Amino acid sequence: MANKRRPKKARVPYRRYGPGGVIIRSDNNNKTHGSSDDEDEEEEEVKQSDVVKSGHYDLSSTSAYSSTWPVSKFQKIDVLKFAIIGEKIKKGELVEFPVDFGHSNHQNMTSTDDKNLKLPVEILHLILKYVEKIDPKYLRVCKLFYHLYAPILYERPQLDSYNFFQFVETLSSIKNKVGKLVKVLDLSTIIQSGKNSYVSKLLRRCSANLEVFVAPQTSFGYAPLVSLRGCKKIKVLDLRLVSETMNLKELFYSIKNSTDLTHLSFPRSSITCETYDDTFWPPNLWYLRLSGGISDDFIMSSTLPKSITRLEFAHCPLLKEFAMYQLLAKFGENLTHLSIQYPMPGLNEQSMDYIFTYCPNLLFLQVTVDYCSRFLFSEDLLPKLFNKERPLKTLWIDSSGALGQGTKIHPDDLTIALMEDRLPCLKNIRITSKLGWDLNSDDVGDLINVLEERDGGLYINYH
């Protein structure tokens, strides 16, 4: 039972601070007193300073913790004005944001509307996208920033030998579902750390929305191929760096359900596929890089989709000249880009002289001087097309650097072909320094002058 005779405590008048440091007093009877004239002027100055007049603002303020843009009848967003601001930002101009990040100057607005005015989520998402350096520290700003920045952070993870195991452990957690945010998984920098179990686990965790996958340089065995079956949205599959032997039949079975696949690069150590009847080619494939143990029977028996417009040959030791031309005879007219890289031991010194006969619609051509000669640009093997001009625009000439290869193609061979309009659309030519052309000679100077008249040029590759 309380002691009623004990004297009551005297309460000190309550003091709280309003906007701008304005003191609002309330007595024991809960009566509120206004501020003085000096305090009103101070409050007005604070309100004016709250208006942000530049694109730089403090992320630590409470305005960054909004999850929605509240509907307000006193302030509207001018979409056209923000579009103009976006164009100015792209040009690097200094702009002023017409948004009040703090208190509003509208006198008719209630205190609730004044506190809830925040930057729109769409604008925050665009700002985070324009951040050049991806830094996980933005995830700790607030819950809103975490949901906005997590898809940007995990969409294209930058992996190396130092953070690879931590990334695998993060995705291996049962409660963690960040694997669904990964769209591009590039493991080209992983050499000794990329075990089959780790690669298989990453493919399973990221299979929901994975679109681009670059395999590591060492391990890609049966387990990753099984996990690859679940990646139904994959568009780019690059296996060119894989040094482990792979069965092509199992590879085709793994991409059987990948109907969105557009880029496919074979591994350089793949073995010969024994059966060709059940070979499945993705229907939307338009880039194909053939390498490894591709045999002549596989090339002649396979029916490639007509959607392929870019074709590359690289590191095919078993492929012969007649098999390549039989393949080009089937759909060479559909090709716009063709690349024949070194080494191709099955080709001789003049195997690729008939490329333009089988591929008249090329826009880009990369050849190695080891497999062609000056007759490639002759009038007999480079005739004018009927009712149209030959569309070739870019030509790359590479060389292995072996003795005797530098004299097979002379600058005058290209200059004469250009002046006689055999290649009327050709503008850019890139040659390797291994050809041994004298850049100060008159022959090279004539070729450069002809290309410059077409708004093009001659480029030298020193690698």
Side-chain angles (χ1 to χ4, degrees):
M1 187 173 180
N3 187 3
K4 295 183 179 180
R5 296 182 180 180
R6 186 177 61 188
K8 295 182 179 180
K9 295 182 179 180
R11 294 184 178 181
V12 181
Y14 176 75
R15 173 184 294 181
R16 67 185 179 90
Y17 293 88
V22 180
I23 301 177
I24 301 177
R25 302 176 184 274
S26 60
D27 53 9
N28 295 334
N29 296 328
N30 296 329
K31 293 182 180 181
T32 305
H33 300 280
S35 60
S36 60
D37 296 339
D38 296 337
E39 294 170 347
D40 293 338
E41 294 178 358
E42 183 181 359
E43 180 181 1
E44 185 65 25
E45 292 178 358
V46 173
K47 287 184 178 181
Q48 293 178 1
S49 64
D50 286 339
V51 180
V52 178
K53 297 183 180 181
S54 64
H56 304 280
Y57 56 93
D58 188 9
L59 293 178
S60 62
S61 62
T62 57
S63 60
Y65 289 79
S66 173
S67 58
T68 58
W69 178 257
V71 179
S72 177
K73 61 182 179 180
F74 298 104
Q75 182 173 354
K76 297 180 180 180
I77 299 300
D78 192 345
V79 180
L80 179 59
K81 186 177 295 185
F82 273 101
I84 296 174
I85 289 176
E87 294 297 329
K88 291 183 179 180
I89 291 176
K90 292 180 181 180
K91 296 179 181 179
E93 300 179 5
L94 183 61
V95 297
E96 296 183 359
F97 282 93
V99 178
D100 187 357
F101 294 88
H103 301 283
S104 176
N105 291 330
H106 296 284
Q107 299 178 358
N108 297 328
M109 297 184 64
T110 60
S111 59
T112 304
D113 293 333
D114 188 28
K115 293 179 180 179
N116 290 335
L117 274 178
K118 314 297 178 185
L119 191 65
V121 179
E122 295 80 4
I123 303 298
L124 285 175
H125 190 256
L126 288 176
I127 292 174
L128 292 176
K129 275 189 173 182
Y130 278 105
V131 177
E132 297 181 358
K133 184 179 179 181
I134 298 178
D135 198 332
K137 66 182 180 182
Y138 295 113
L139 298 175
R140 300 193 295 265
V141 175
C142 63
K143 185 180 293 185
L144 171 63
F145 268 52
Y146 179 86
H147 291 292
L148 290 178
Y149 200 69
I152 301 176
L153 179 65
Y154 287 98
E155 179 181 2
R156 188 187 296 265
Q158 305 294 329
L159 300 178
D160 50 30
S161 301
Y162 298 98
N163 60 0
F164 178 72
F165 293 108
Q166 297 178 357
F167 183 75
V168 174
E169 293 177 358
T170 301
L171 267 63
S172 300
S173 177
I174 300 177
K175 298 181 179 180
N176 202 336
K177 299 181 180 180
V178 296
K180 297 181 179 180
L181 305 177
V182 179
K183 295 183 179 180
V184 179
L185 188 59
D186 187 359
L187 303 181
S188 58
T189 57
I190 308 301
I191 302 178
Q192 300 297 333
S193 304
K195 297 182 179 180
N196 282 328
S197 58
Y198 295 152
V199 177
S200 177
K201 187 178 298 184
L202 289 180
L203 286 175
R204 289 198 307 269
R205 296 294 182 180
C206 305
S207 60
N209 297 310
L210 187 63
E211 297 180 358
V212 179
F213 176 71
V214 181
Q217 301 181 19
T218 51
S219 300
F220 197 85
Y222 180 75
L225 285 175
V226 175
S227 301
L228 189 62
R229 301 173 188 175
C231 304
K232 299 181 179 180
K233 294 183 179 181
I234 192 169
K235 297 180 180 179
V236 179
L237 180 59
D238 192 347
L239 305 174
R240 70 182 66 187
L241 299 177
V242 177
S243 59
E244 183 178 350
T245 302
M246 183 185 303
N247 194 334
L248 290 181
K249 185 177 180 180
E250 297 176 354
L251 174 62
F252 282 115
Y253 186 76
S254 299
I255 62 176
K256 186 176 182 179
N257 297 325
S258 304
T259 56
D260 296 335
L261 190 65
T262 59
H263 293 63
L264 177 60
S265 298
F266 278 21
R268 58 186 178 182
S269 300
S270 58
I271 63 176
T272 305
C273 190
E274 298 178 357
T275 58
Y276 316 107
D277 298 334
D278 56 348
T279 301
F280 171 80
W281 293 97
N284 297 320
L285 190 68
W286 60 269
Y287 173 86
L288 178 62
R289 188 176 190 271
L290 296 175
S291 61
I294 304 295
S295 63
D296 296 337
D297 295 335
F298 176 81
I299 290 295
M300 293 185 293
S301 303
S302 299
T303 303
L304 299 180
K306 296 182 179 180
S307 59
I308 295 179
T309 58
R310 300 191 178 191
L311 182 63
E312 292 186 10
F313 294 94
H315 307 287
C316 300
L318 304 178
L319 202 59
K320 301 297 189 297
E321 174 185 345
F322 69 93
M324 292 184 60
Y325 279 124
Q326 187 168 354
L327 177 65
L328 296 178
K330 294 180 181 179
F331 71 105
E333 295 183 355
N334 299 333
L335 295 179
T336 59
H337 293 68
L338 178 62
S339 177
I340 303 174
Q341 303 176 7
Y342 183 86
M344 298 284 289
L347 304 181
N348 55 40
E349 296 181 354
Q350 298 180 352
S351 294
M352 295 292 101
D353 287 349
Y354 300 90
I355 289 179
F356 292 112
T357 305
Y358 292 90
C359 306
N361 299 319
L362 289 178
L363 299 175
F364 171 85
L365 175 62
Q366 180 183 4
V367 294
T368 304
V369 74
D370 300 57
Y371 313 127
C372 63
S373 64
R374 65 183 61 187
F375 296 104
L376 175 64
F377 309 103
S378 63
E379 186 176 1
D380 297 334
L381 300 181
L382 191 59
K384 294 184 179 180
L385 299 179
F386 181 71
N387 291 334
K388 69 175 183 179
E389 296 179 343
R390 194 172 295 275
L392 185 67
K393 295 182 179 180
T394 305
L395 175 63
W396 288 9
I397 303 177
D398 296 333
S399 176
S400 63
L403 295 176
Q405 304 298 333
T407 59
K408 294 181 66 175
I409 295 180
H410 194 268
D412 290 341
D413 299 330
L414 292 169
T415 304
I416 295 173
L418 292 174
M419 297 183 66
E420 293 182 355
D421 289 336
R422 300 174 196 167
L423 298 171
C425 300
L426 183 59
K427 293 183 179 181
N428 300 311
I429 299 178
R430 195 197 75 168
I431 63 173
T432 177
S433 59
K434 298 178 182 179
L435 289 178
W437 288 4
D438 186 6
L439 302 180
N440 298 323
S441 63
D442 295 337
D443 299 332
V444 177
D446 295 338
L447 178 59
I448 294 176
N449 293 332
V450 174
L451 293 174
E452 288 180 350
E453 291 177 358
R454 302 185 177 192
D455 296 332
L458 179 66
Y459 304 92
I460 311 297
N461 183 20
Y462 292 95
H463 296 286

